[in-house]
Structure formats: structure tokens, C-alpha cells
Amino acid sequence: MSWTAAATKVCALLALAAALGWYYGQPLWAVAGTLLLLVGFWLYQMKRVQRWLRNPGEPPPETYGIWGDILSEIYQLQKKGREARDRLQSTVDYLQDSFSSMRDGVAIVDDHGLLKWFNEPAQSLLSLRPADKGQSLMNLVRAPEFLRYFNLGDFRKPLEYRTAGDSGAWLRVEITRFGDGDRLLFIRDITASVRMEKVRKDFVANVSHELRTPLTVISGYLGTFLSDTSRLDPRYIKPLQQMLQQAVRMENLLKDLLWLSRIESEQGMEVHTPVDIRSLLTELQDELRTAHPERKLELELATDHKVMGDYRELYSAVSNLVLNAIRYSVDNTVVNVSWSRRDGGYHLAVSDRGIGIDAAHIPRLTERFYRVEDSRSPASGGTGLGLAIVKHVAASHGARLKIESKLGKGSTFSLVFPGQGRGINPGDSPDAAAQPGEHLTARG
Ligand code: ADP
């Protein structure tokens, strides 16, 4: 029944009461009495509806008129709500089932850091108990690396850490935010792959180490033979020279392999010595002046920002870039090295006007032993490991390697250090964009 029909019905009833009252000479009393009866009836209906609403499990009571309609609409709404809730619950059950059956650990933490839910693998990986639901994750997982990572809130990269205790398992944790500040944690046991990786690194390091001594002996004797070619049969001179060239190449390769495995094994360890990039570059310039007196190295030192890190690693990265710039450009061109602040970061850029690199090769240059076809000749003296070393050093110093190059025109390799965090600026006003008076250009 519609509202207007109900109102018409009430009006008709009151009119009838007024007419009857008129007939008996008491119209007002008749209307008032009818109104009172109506109010009483409505109050009674309301009471039944209210009682039913408080016990929604029971079937709806028998009601009349507009109250019957209201009740049936409430009933329909309730039914729809129940169906939607059941559907939602079955989706949640389905998702929880699929998470539970995963071999990786999954846990949900709310915005206050309280554990809302976790599956069995998460329980054993993080050493939790079923009763820990609702507890603070921070109080349950004590690993300092985990606490730092979780509190920092920067989850762009996953965390890999070793758990304490006898087992010393390696865990990889990935965290994603969702909903209202909730966090979804994926935890994977990576102990086996970490062990394999260690075996591989140790193998490379051991083989490189073991091969160094025999190679030194071979190249030593070859050098001795070739130091006085007048006493050699001329037929042997060229082969001996080639042997020496290859032996030296192998020595360089082993040196780079050993250095790379050392950097890899030290990655992730705290580095906290301020490195003065200005003096590092000046030292490199002096060294190159001796090793390559024919080449010109121009330095542009526009900031005295110091980088927190390892001097030897940074030195090897920059010297690899500079040696490449020399190696892959013609003899009389200048190589430029600049140290400046730009776009909120600190850029150490090495530019040459050499052969350049086709854009197709750029994404693969930092792979071990990847070399552009033209530069494979032994005469280039490269090992194919230089940029892999640079990439590792960059990563362990929170920097990234940026490569810009144009075929036939030249290349710029830049180590971009973050503007905040791992550096030190003596008397640093948020500056450091090159102060005019500080601009220093040195020539090598
Ligand atoms: P390599 O020991 O061969 O130089 P790297 O890892 O240092 O190995 O470099 C990988 C490849 O990238 C090189 O073989 C070369 O083809 C290319 N490359 C690196 N630096 C430059 C450069 N400045 N100009 C042109 N090509 C370069």
C-alpha cells in the first residue's frame, strides 16, 4: 500500500467518524476517539516491528496496512544484505584458503602493526604461534633488519635477511600496502638459493685465485723470453707475443673476477666512511697521467659533497669508467669527468667523444662478459667485467648507473648518488649547486 493510499484511508476514516459524531451530536469526540484508536494501533504495530528488528532471525510478524509494506521492504533489504554478506564471506574464505595453501608465508598486518591473519608457512618462517593473532608484529619478529625495514616503510625493494638461531635461514620479505594502511607480507625461504649463489661465488673466487699463480709464472717467462728477441728464432717471436698478450688478458680477467666476487660478498655490509670524491678524482687523474700520458683528462669539480662508502670500490668504479672512455675513443680526444649536484642528486659523469654505443646494446652492457661485437678484439684490452663492477659498486652505495650514448658521437656514463641520506656536505647549505667561485677545472 502506498503512502497516499494510507493517508486517504485515514482521512476517510476520520470523515466517517466526524459524520457519525455529527449524527449523534458529538463530532469532535468521535474524531478524537478515532485518532486515539489509530495512534494506539500504530504504537502496537511499531512495538511488534521493533521487537522483530531486535530478533532478526525470527519470521516477520503479521502486520496490516502500511506497516505490513514497511515490514516487508525491511525484510527484503535484510535478505539482500545477508546474501551480499554471504557472497563476501565466501570470497574471503576462498582467498584465505588460497593463501593458506601457499607454500610461501602470507601475513596481514593492520595500520597499527597488529597481526590480523597469517598462514601456516608464515607461522613457521616467522616463528609465530596461532595465539599471536592481534599481537604487535614488532614484538614478535625481533630481527633488527626486519624492524628497520618495516619501520622505514619504503617497500619498493624486498628485504632479504638471515634469521637468528642455529638454522640461520635466509628470508625474503615483500610488503604491499592495501586498504586503510593495512600491509600484506609475503615471506619466502631463500636459504637454498642463497647457498647456491654462495657456492657459485666461492667457486669463481677459488678458481680465479688458483689460476693466478700459474698465469703469473707463464707471463713472467714469456716476458723474459721476449725481453731479448735477438736471441730468439724469428719464427717464434709473433706466437710468443700473442701468448704474452693473451696471458696478460687472462690475468686482467682473473683480477676483475676476484674483485667482483669480493665486492659481491661485501654487498649489504654497512659502509660508513666519508669519501672525498674531489680527491679521489684528482688521484685518478695523477695515475692516468703516468699510465696514459698521451691522453687528456679534464676534471670539473663543482661540489665538495662527500659520499658515504668504500674508497677502493668507488675508485675502481670510476677508473673502470675512465679507462673505458679512453679505450673506446680515438687517441687525441679529451675525456671529461665532472662531479656536480643536479636534479636533487649528485652526478659523477664520465664523458667521451668516442665510438659510442648503439641503443640496442645499452640495457645489456652491465651483464658480465657482455661486450659490443666491435669491441671484442683482444686489442681493446677489456675483460667484459668493468661495467658489472661499476653496477655493483653503484648498488652498494645507493647510487644508480646512467648510460647515455650516441653511436659515432660518444658516451656519458654517470653514477647518480641520492641527494639525501648517504652523503656528507661540509658546510652544506642545501646548495651545493656549483658555487661560481668554487668551479675548478683541472687538466691532465
Ligand atoms: P670491457 O672490459 O669490454 O670494456 P665493460 O663491462 O667495461 O667491458 O664494458 C662492456 C662493453 O660496453 C664494452 O665491451 C664496450 O663495448 C661497451 N662500452 C663501455 N664503455 C664504453 C664507452 N665509453 N664507449 C663505447 N662503448 C663502451
Side-chain angles (χ1 to χ4, degrees):
M1 183 191 275
S2 73
W3 183 86
T4 38
T8 317
K9 226 172 167 182
V10 169
C11 289
L13 203 67
L14 289 177
L16 188 69
L20 278 173
W22 188 270
Y23 181 75
Y24 289 107
Q26 294 290 348
L28 274 179
W29 280 111
V31 171
T34 311
L35 271 176
L36 215 64
L37 279 174
L38 272 173
V39 170
F41 176 68
W42 283 343
L43 282 174
Y44 172 66
Q45 300 278 43
M46 270 203 268
K47 188 177 164 205
R48 295 179 71 195
V49 172
Q50 193 186 37
R51 193 187 309 145
W52 172 70
L53 281 175
R54 285 184 183 156
N55 304 292
E58 290 178 10
E62 206 47 58
T63 44
Y64 310 98
I66 193 155
W67 283 104
D69 291 353
I70 291 174
L71 210 64
S72 103
E73 273 168 34
I74 293 175
Y75 184 63
Q76 290 305 325
L77 273 177
Q78 273 192 346
K79 209 164 129 195
K80 274 191 202 152
R82 247 194 322 269
E83 280 166 10
R85 205 180 50 217
D86 288 350
R87 269 200 307 275
L88 214 66
Q89 188 58 48
S90 67
T91 313
V92 171
D93 291 347
Y94 178 74
L95 282 176
Q96 282 200 350
D97 267 4
S98 58
F99 277 159
S100 303
S101 62
M102 279 175 77
R103 263 180 292 162
D104 290 342
V106 182
I108 296 175
V109 177
D110 71 8
D111 55 337
H112 299 296
L114 304 181
L115 262 173
K116 277 172 116 171
W117 181 86
F118 50 84
N119 65 1
E120 261 180 47
Q123 190 176 316
S124 69
L125 290 172
L126 299 179
S127 310
L128 304 171
R129 291 163 309 145
D132 288 334
K133 255 176 219 166
Q135 301 289 319
S136 163
L137 184 69
M138 298 287 91
N139 296 337
L140 300 166
V141 182
R142 295 299 182 122
E145 301 92 332
F146 181 88
L147 296 181
R148 213 176 307 128
Y149 179 72
F150 194 82
N151 287 331
L152 212 61
D154 180 1
F155 305 135
R156 281 171 299 177
K157 283 189 193 157
L159 165 77
E160 287 178 6
Y161 74 98
R162 192 169 187 207
T163 56
D166 296 340
S167 67
W170 276 89
L171 298 185
R172 180 190 175 91
V173 180
E174 282 180 59
I175 302 184
T176 319
R177 287 178 208 280
F178 72 103
D180 234 356
D182 291 352
R183 280 150 288 182
L184 182 65
L185 278 72
F186 281 96
I187 308 118
R188 171 171 287 187
D189 187 341
I190 53 162
T191 314
S193 57
V194 169
R195 275 199 196 126
M196 281 298 293
E197 186 61 13
K198 185 163 183 334
V199 169
R200 182 191 68 77
K201 282 179 194 161
D202 287 353
F203 176 76
V204 172
N206 290 337
V207 168
S208 312
H209 191 74
E210 292 303 322
L211 286 177
R212 265 185 102 176
T213 318
L215 256 177
T216 314
V217 174
I218 292 170
S219 58
Y221 277 122
L222 287 169
T224 315
F225 290 148
L226 287 165
S227 62
D228 186 3
T229 45
S230 60
R231 286 164 53 190
L232 279 178
D233 181 335
R235 280 177 309 159
Y236 296 137
I237 295 178
K238 196 146 187 266
L240 283 174
Q241 277 170 340
Q242 278 176 349
M243 283 160 80
L244 181 62
Q245 193 185 30
Q246 291 301 331
V248 169
R249 201 169 153 233
M250 272 172 83
E251 275 180 332
N252 287 338
L253 193 70
L254 293 182
K255 213 167 66 204
D256 278 358
L257 272 174
L258 274 170
W259 182 232
L260 190 57
S261 59
R262 178 156 170 205
I263 296 171
E264 279 179 334
S265 62
E266 283 173 4
Q267 198 161 353
M269 291 183 190
E270 283 295 316
V271 276
H272 43 69
T273 337
V275 177
D276 184 353
I277 301 292
R278 288 169 81 121
S279 48
L280 182 149
L281 291 177
T282 316
E283 188 187 332
L284 183 66
Q285 190 184 42
D286 290 344
E287 196 189 310
L288 280 168
R289 215 178 267 147
T290 321
H292 297 271
E294 75 289 358
R295 300 306 300 259
K296 220 177 241 175
L297 183 76
E298 269 189 11
L299 294 189
E300 191 183 316
L301 307 170
T303 175
D304 52 7
H305 177 75
K306 291 189 171 72
V307 168
M308 291 302 282
D310 184 299
Y311 187 89
R312 286 162 319 144
E313 286 188 12
L314 286 167
Y315 191 90
S316 86
V318 186
S319 70
N320 267 311
L321 292 179
V322 170
L323 285 175
N324 276 352
I326 290 174
R327 195 177 288 149
Y328 302 111
S329 55
V330 262
D331 276 356
N332 51 6
T333 56
V334 179
V335 170
N336 294 80
V337 181
S338 66
W339 176 228
S340 61
R341 178 163 192 181
R342 245 183 298 147
D343 310 326
Y346 291 92
H347 292 236
L348 200 164
V350 179
S351 306
D352 64 65
R353 279 153 236 157
I355 60 171
I357 309 155
D358 190 298
H361 294 289
I362 292 182
R364 299 197 56 194
L365 287 185
T366 54
E367 286 174 23
R368 281 155 207 237
F369 300 114
Y370 186 85
R371 307 182 74 195
V372 178
E373 209 48 49
D374 307 346
S375 48
R376 279 184 177 273
S377 87
S380 81
T383 60
L385 289 171
L387 291 179
I389 292 176
V390 176
K391 190 180 144 196
H392 266 285
V393 173
S396 61
H397 288 79
R400 70 187 163 89
L401 175 64
K402 188 170 140 203
I403 306 174
E404 296 155 295
S405 188
K406 260 205 175 131
L407 205 55
K409 295 258 189 278
S411 320
T412 299
F413 287 75
S414 315
L415 286 171
V416 184
F417 294 87
Q420 280 154 1
R422 308 174 66 124
I424 289 187
N425 261 337
D428 202 11
S429 56
D431 108 276
Q435 302 292 322
E438 266 194 306
H439 211 85
L440 184 145
T441 306
R443 257 168 204 279

